[in-house]
Amino acid sequence: MVVFLKSGITCLIGLTLVLVLNIKLGNVPPLGKFLDPFHGFWKNAESRNIEKVMDIKLEGLEGKVSIRFDEQRIPHIFADNDHDVYFAQGYITARDRLWQMDFQTRFASGRLSEVVGPKAIELDQYQRRMGMMYGAENMIKGMLKDPQMTAVMNAYAEGINAYIKSLSAEDYPIEFKILDYKPEEWKIINSALLLKLMSATLSGGSNEFYLSNILNEYGPEITKDLFPDSPYREDPVIPKGTKWDFKPSIIPKSSTPQAISEKKNITTKEKVDGIGSNNWAVAGSKTATGYPLLANDPHLDLSLPSIWYQIQLTTGNSNVYGVSLPGAPAVIIGFNKDIAWGVTNVDADVLDWYKIKFRDSVFEEYWYNNTWKKTKKRIETILVRGAKTVTDTVIYTHHGPVVYTEGQKPVDFTKANNIPEGHALRWIAHDPSNEFRAIYLLNRSKNHTDYKKAITYFSAPAQNFIFASAENDIAITPNGYFPLKYKTQGKFILDGSLASDDWHGRIPAEQNPTVKNPARGFVSSANQSSTDKTYPYYINWEFAPYDRAHRINNRLTVMTKATVDSMRNLQNDNYSMLAQNIRLNLIESLDTQKLNASQTEALEVVKNWNNFFNANEIGASIFEIWRKLVEKNIWSDEFTKKDLPMRYPSRDRLVEMLLNEPNARWYDNINTRQRENKKDIIQLSFIATVDSLTEKFGPISDQWKWGNVKHSYVPHLAKIAGFNSKFLNNGGSKTSVNAMNETNGPSWRMVVALGKNVKGYGVFPGGESGNPGSFYYDDMINTWTEGKLNELLFLKSKNEKSPRIIQAWELGK
């Protein structure tokens, strides 16, 4: 009897374990499936040793495709036609990055609730209310008018789906197993969503609520003084003095800016300093070979799997190498045998907010141009895992979505704090467009004429397209759909009832600023102002600080007989123009008699510092924290007020004040009884800096070195800690050409040497594979951290022999 009882208890425990381990409990995946050695996460372990030859049959191909993989598992695809090359690109990208593609498009479209349940509902509502899917749908409408690009997008999607269909549950990427869901059929709108996500990253921020509140609080004189319509220091993308060879369109008449934003607790998403990039091209007259060199390093929030995917695509009439966005066809940044191109963000003002006057709480009409105009309603249906479906209604005016109407904003959802109630969003990312046509044509361009034609199709996000060719031409064009506006239109909240505050069409594409073969022998951009004040159109009132651009231009000006290493070294330049401008000014403002021993020691370190943010520099750590505290202690008392969100003046404005306005009113802390001056603020900020570093790292030691204080690493896309990179002990700063901070920095470094036989060099912080269990998940990260570049294998044909080729695939129908 006892034996039977024990046996029954054992069976019951076993049955309970089977049930528990195969049921999803809250955020935990079914552990039985996850730990299964034949089907769970162990199945995702990937050996570095691979079969050298594979023959694969795929339904959907029109002919044969050959793929050669080099030692970093970068695919080199050879096909006879567009359909097959993009089909194969979709297939092979999905093999390496399927979960990343799925997750990013779900995030962009507001569909995470389908995977993680109710906790993502407010995020999904936010994405839909911002019009992400609406914008992607409009982009597809524009693209469907182009049969060739429709065919390209369909071929790419078919390739992805061919790979998905080949998978069984045990083959799913590990993140699908952790989150316990499966991939779904890929649609062409998913590729459009990726571009909308990039637009949101690069042009989705705004300042107008802050500035409207500042205008309310301090009046127009102070607002214009602290937030001028053009920077004090500038070294524009298009060199000063460039002549404009066109007759400008009629500029709209200015509307008087009104501080119409209510003083509410609105915290808009301010544009983040450092989300930007560098690029430059050097003419053959300044290089060792006599042919141009082109360099590009887009700075973004870094992630594993990597943002970019390296690939070579070859057909009978095209052979291109570079990086693609996983989930989108063609090469976004790269080169062919004739040209090279790259991009940086323009930071154009292409997102505006309009205060809307509704007729009543039904929101069916709004006041516009002296009449009541009908709104439109868009119904959003959100499927929720483990809960009821949510239906959401979004009101649209002719401007765009009213993201939240009065009383609709959720209380505990932090992203909602970024959005005002009762305001409509006008954003270029909502308009029909055909950016993939631009990329397709760039991949096939042979000269400057082809480049100029290609970029006319690119609307958003606006980019500084840099160009170099084997014909010895170099050029740069701040390019995109730039709204035709009166000067500073959109700097403040706009009145949704006034037709004069609407966008007035666009700046003609052929009149976008551009320069070809300037006398100085190079072109460059680092997100600084696009032009000098002679350009007749308004693009924006504020751009990235001039520091990086000025450093790049200074070095390129004196450069002769430039080589690939010259370009690589400049990409890794850690020198800070900001430190050059203000470090001595800060030091001279200190009263050294009032410093204790540790503070005096720290002062000696920063005195002897060379303005380089190298990883081993202690002076860099002291200066960076010090200058940030100076900024905070000058502005926070006047520009941090409860229920009245504002922003600080720009770094450029602060430098001007420190150097030339020693008696400015802003040095005084209005929250104290005594009256502080410039020296007081700098003194207390320095003392606080030393105290802060001492508290965190102890007395001055190697622990204070900049690499350790900055503490860079590359996080996993879904913030799964075990899938992050290791600590990366590198230099760089947001005021250096090598604009690196903790998790934001150069997402792809590329240098291309044009000539009779083009050569490319590049690296990104990660690897080709999205599988954390693969050697190729992060095999390039050390090279990237050390500031080195890999020579890129640019094959001329599938039969070309190279010891770097480690695997060959043959795909057939």
Side-chain angles (χ1 to χ4, degrees):
M1 184 70 179
V2 173
V3 173
F4 284 116
L5 183 60
K6 288 182 177 179
S7 177
I9 291 172
T10 302
C11 289
L12 183 61
I13 292 172
L15 181 61
T16 302
L17 282 171
V18 169
L19 289 171
V20 169
L21 291 175
N22 285 278
I23 295 174
K24 182 177 175 68
L25 301 173
N27 296 327
V28 181
L31 292 179
K33 296 178 185 177
F34 184 64
L35 298 173
D36 182 345
F38 302 105
H39 305 92
F41 81 97
W42 299 106
K43 181 73 175 176
N44 294 94
E46 187 177 289
S47 173
R48 188 176 178 182
N49 300 316
I50 54 180
E51 295 181 53
K52 291 189 176 181
V53 178
M54 291 187 69
D55 196 348
I56 301 172
K57 303 300 181 185
L58 292 174
E59 184 178 345
L61 284 173
E62 294 178 355
K64 293 182 178 180
V65 175
S66 298
I67 306 179
R68 305 292 181 258
F69 294 92
D70 64 30
E71 76 277 17
Q72 290 169 324
R73 288 286 289 168
I74 297 164
H76 306 257
I77 300 175
F78 297 86
D80 294 330
N81 55 66
D82 278 359
H83 175 276
D84 284 358
V85 82
Y86 293 118
F87 182 101
Q89 184 187 9
Y91 182 89
I92 207 71
T93 307
R95 187 205 64 159
D96 284 333
R97 301 292 188 88
L98 181 59
W99 176 79
Q100 176 187 15
M101 294 155 60
D102 179 277
F103 181 83
Q104 287 183 319
T105 53
R106 285 181 183 273
F107 172 79
S109 61
R111 294 185 55 216
L112 283 180
S113 297
E114 297 175 21
V115 174
V116 301
K119 64 183 179 183
I121 290 174
E122 289 176 344
L123 174 60
D124 286 349
Q125 287 179 314
Y126 171 83
Q127 294 291 78
R128 297 186 188 213
R129 288 182 160 275
M130 285 291 291
M132 294 290 283
M133 180 61 82
Y134 169 73
E137 290 169 356
N138 283 336
M139 181 180 177
I140 293 299
K141 288 177 184 176
M143 191 198 69
L144 289 176
K145 296 176 183 178
D146 182 340
Q148 186 179 41
M149 289 317 302
T150 301
V152 166
M153 300 295 284
N154 281 327
Y156 185 78
E158 288 168 16
I160 296 171
N161 290 326
Y163 179 73
I164 292 172
K165 289 174 185 176
S166 74
L167 297 177
S168 59
E170 65 192 48
D171 301 318
Y172 291 163
I174 191 170
E175 291 92 346
F176 284 107
K177 297 175 182 179
I178 291 174
L179 296 171
D180 189 32
Y181 78 109
K182 62 183 180 181
E184 63 181 9
E185 180 185 10
W186 188 268
K187 299 175 181 177
I188 61 173
I189 196 168
N190 291 12
S191 298
L193 280 163
L194 289 172
L195 209 57
K196 299 301 132 181
L197 194 59
M198 191 62 74
S199 287
T201 300
L202 297 177
S203 64
S206 60
N207 287 294
E208 47 261 55
F209 290 111
Y210 296 116
L211 293 176
S212 292
N213 284 336
I214 291 167
L215 188 61
N216 260 326
E217 185 75 3
Y218 293 111
E221 186 176 342
I222 286 177
T223 302
K224 188 164 186 176
D225 175 55
L226 294 182
F227 301 90
D229 297 339
S230 57
Y232 284 94
R233 292 164 181 77
E234 62 179 352
D235 199 336
V237 174
I238 307 302
K240 291 180 180 179
T242 299
K243 303 300 181 184
W244 312 110
D245 59 349
F246 56 80
K247 182 180 179 180
S249 301
I250 298 173
I251 310 298
K253 291 185 178 180
S254 173
S255 172
T256 304
Q258 299 175 8
I260 60 174
S261 182
E262 299 89 345
K263 295 185 180 183
K264 289 186 175 181
N265 189 13
I266 300 166
T267 316
T268 62
K269 181 184 175 185
E270 186 177 0
K271 293 175 182 174
V272 179
D273 181 22
I275 293 184
S277 317
N278 305 310
N279 64 19
W280 58 84
V282 181
S285 60
K286 291 174 70 69
T287 70
T289 64
Y291 287 97
L293 291 166
L294 181 143
N296 190 196
D297 53 302
H299 303 164
L300 295 164
D301 288 332
L302 306 177
S303 70
L304 289 171
S306 293
I307 296 165
W308 303 103
Y309 184 74
Q310 286 189 59
I311 199 162
Q312 181 178 0
L313 302 171
T314 306
T315 64
N317 60 8
S318 173
N319 187 2
V320 63
Y321 188 109
V323 287
S324 63
L325 282 173
V331 167
I332 305 293
I333 300 170
F335 63 94
N336 59 37
K337 69 181 181 64
D338 299 307
I339 76 157
W341 74 95
V343 295
T344 66
N345 196 38
V346 172
D347 207 9
D349 186 6
V350 294
L351 182 153
D352 291 326
W353 292 94
Y354 291 80
K355 176 64 179 175
I356 303 300
K357 178 183 177 181
F358 289 104
R359 187 165 195 165
D360 50 39
S361 60
V362 181
F363 307 116
E364 292 183 348
E365 293 179 293
Y366 65 103
W367 187 249
Y368 173 73
N369 204 19
N370 296 316
T371 189
W372 291 108
K373 188 177 177 71
K374 292 285 186 182
T375 60
K376 294 180 180 179
K377 294 183 179 180
R378 180 182 170 97
I379 308 300
E380 298 285 358
T381 303
I382 301 173
L383 304 179
V384 184
R385 185 173 188 167
K388 292 182 179 180
T389 297
V390 173
T391 301
D392 197 21
T393 302
V394 186
I395 306 298
Y396 278 71
T397 69
H398 72 282
H399 311 96
V402 179
V403 182
Y404 293 108
T405 55
E406 295 292 338
Q408 196 176 40
K409 188 166 65 173
V411 176
D412 297 323
F413 179 60
T414 54
K415 274 187 175 288
N417 292 336
N418 297 340
I419 308 299
E421 296 177 335
H423 289 70
L425 171 63
R426 178 71 177 101
W427 187 22
I428 193 60
H430 290 155
D431 291 6
S433 61
N434 192 11
E435 281 82 5
F436 289 118
R437 161 63 67 179
I439 302 303
Y440 178 89
L441 291 176
L442 276 172
N443 284 206
R444 289 157 176 76
S445 293
K446 298 181 183 301
N447 50 45
H448 180 264
T449 301
D450 291 347
Y451 148 82
K452 286 291 289 181
K453 177 184 176 183
I455 64 176
T456 60
Y457 291 94
F458 199 94
S459 293
Q463 299 290 292
N464 295 303
F465 279 89
I466 202 157
F467 164 88
S469 76
E471 294 181 352
N472 243 320
D473 289 324
I474 60 172
I476 193 166
T477 307
N479 182 78
Y481 186 110
F482 298 133
L484 186 60
K485 297 181 172 185
Y486 57 79
K487 187 176 181 182
T488 72
Q489 183 179 350
K491 183 175 181 179
F492 304 94
I493 294 294
L494 295 168
D495 190 336
S497 69
L498 299 178
S500 59
D501 272 358
D502 281 355
W503 292 0
H504 304 274
R506 66 170 295 175
I507 297 173
E510 65 275 10
Q511 296 182 11
N512 284 349
T514 188
V515 66
K516 177 186 177 185
N517 298 330
R520 66 185 186 178
F522 67 88
V523 290
S524 71
S525 72
N527 318 112
Q528 78 274 33
S529 53
S530 299
T531 70
D532 64 17
K533 296 174 184 177
T534 65
Y535 185 63
Y537 299 112
Y538 171 71
I539 296 177
N540 205 347
W541 67 275
E542 185 178 49
F543 298 86
Y546 92 120
D547 308 335
R548 285 183 291 124
H550 195 58
R551 174 66 173 174
I552 290 168
N553 290 348
N554 284 350
R555 288 196 58 181
L556 292 178
T557 296
V558 300
M559 196 175 287
T560 58
K561 298 187 182 305
T563 64
V564 169
D565 271 348
S566 307
M567 305 294 97
R568 180 184 64 82
N569 289 334
L570 182 50
Q571 287 180 331
N572 288 279
D573 187 335
N574 294 329
Y575 189 80
S576 170
M577 292 298 302
L578 177 67
Q580 176 181 303
N581 287 335
I582 68 170
R583 180 173 62 93
L584 292 180
N585 185 276
L586 295 180
I587 290 170
E588 290 167 358
S589 298
L590 289 175
D591 184 346
T592 58
Q593 300 300 314
K594 296 180 179 179
L595 300 179
N596 63 27
S598 61
Q599 292 157 7
T600 300
E601 183 182 2
L603 177 58
E604 285 304 307
V605 171
V606 82
K607 274 183 178 180
N608 294 318
W609 178 48
N610 58 9
N611 297 335
F612 281 90
F613 275 84
N614 296 330
N616 63 349
E617 293 287 349
I618 294 176
S621 303
I622 298 169
F623 172 80
E624 181 66 5
I625 296 173
W626 186 14
R627 69 99 178 170
K628 285 184 175 179
L629 284 176
V630 168
E631 179 181 39
K632 179 181 178 183
N633 288 328
I634 288 173
W635 302 123
S636 63
D637 54 325
E638 282 96 352
F639 292 93
T640 305
K641 296 188 177 183
K642 186 178 180 181
D643 297 331
L644 186 64
M646 296 179 281
R647 55 156 280 190
Y648 295 170
S650 70
R651 192 164 76 215
D652 177 62
R653 184 65 184 87
L654 177 64
V655 171
E656 176 68 16
M657 195 170 86
L658 287 171
L659 297 182
N660 298 315
E661 301 173 30
N663 299 313
R665 60 177 274 194
W666 308 104
Y667 294 119
D668 178 45
N669 184 346
I670 61 174
N671 296 322
T672 64
R673 290 183 178 180
Q674 67 272 26
R675 182 175 181 82
E676 291 83 5
N677 57 32
K678 173 185 169 181
K679 290 185 175 182
D680 294 331
I681 294 298
I682 292 172
Q683 184 92 9
L684 66 89
S685 298
F686 182 77
I687 292 170
T689 295
V690 178
D691 289 348
S692 172
L693 284 166
T694 302
E695 181 179 354
K696 187 170 184 179
F697 300 107
I700 295 179
S701 68
D702 286 352
Q703 293 295 306
W704 284 39
K705 288 182 176 179
W706 175 238
N708 186 58
V709 172
K710 177 167 63 71
H711 209 82
S712 294
Y713 73 102
V714 183
H716 182 262
L717 183 60
K719 304 298 186 286
I720 299 174
F723 297 164
N724 295 341
S725 81
K726 62 185 179 181
F727 160 60
L728 307 175
N729 187 29
N730 57 8
S733 75
K734 285 307 172 185
T735 64
S736 307
V737 177
N738 183 23
M740 182 74 207
N741 67 10
E742 184 182 16
T743 60
N744 180 285
S747 60
W748 162 245
R749 291 193 185 109
M750 179 185 78
V751 176
V752 181
L754 281 302
K756 293 179 180 178
N757 291 299
V758 65
K759 287 190 176 181
Y761 304 82
V763 70
F764 53 57
E768 286 288 89
S769 177
N771 178 8
S774 169
F775 170 81
Y776 301 102
Y777 179 66
D778 60 357
D779 61 308
M780 301 183 213
I781 207 161
N782 287 340
T783 303
W784 178 88
T785 302
E786 294 165 7
K788 299 176 181 177
L789 298 173
N790 296 317
E791 183 172 350
L792 307 176
L793 181 61
F794 186 56
L795 297 174
K796 294 181 175 66
S797 76
K798 65 181 180 182
N799 298 318
E800 182 177 342
K801 302 298 182 183
S802 171
R804 295 177 61 185
I805 296 172
I806 63 170
Q807 189 180 39
W809 282 16
E810 300 297 331
L811 309 183
K813 60 182 178 179

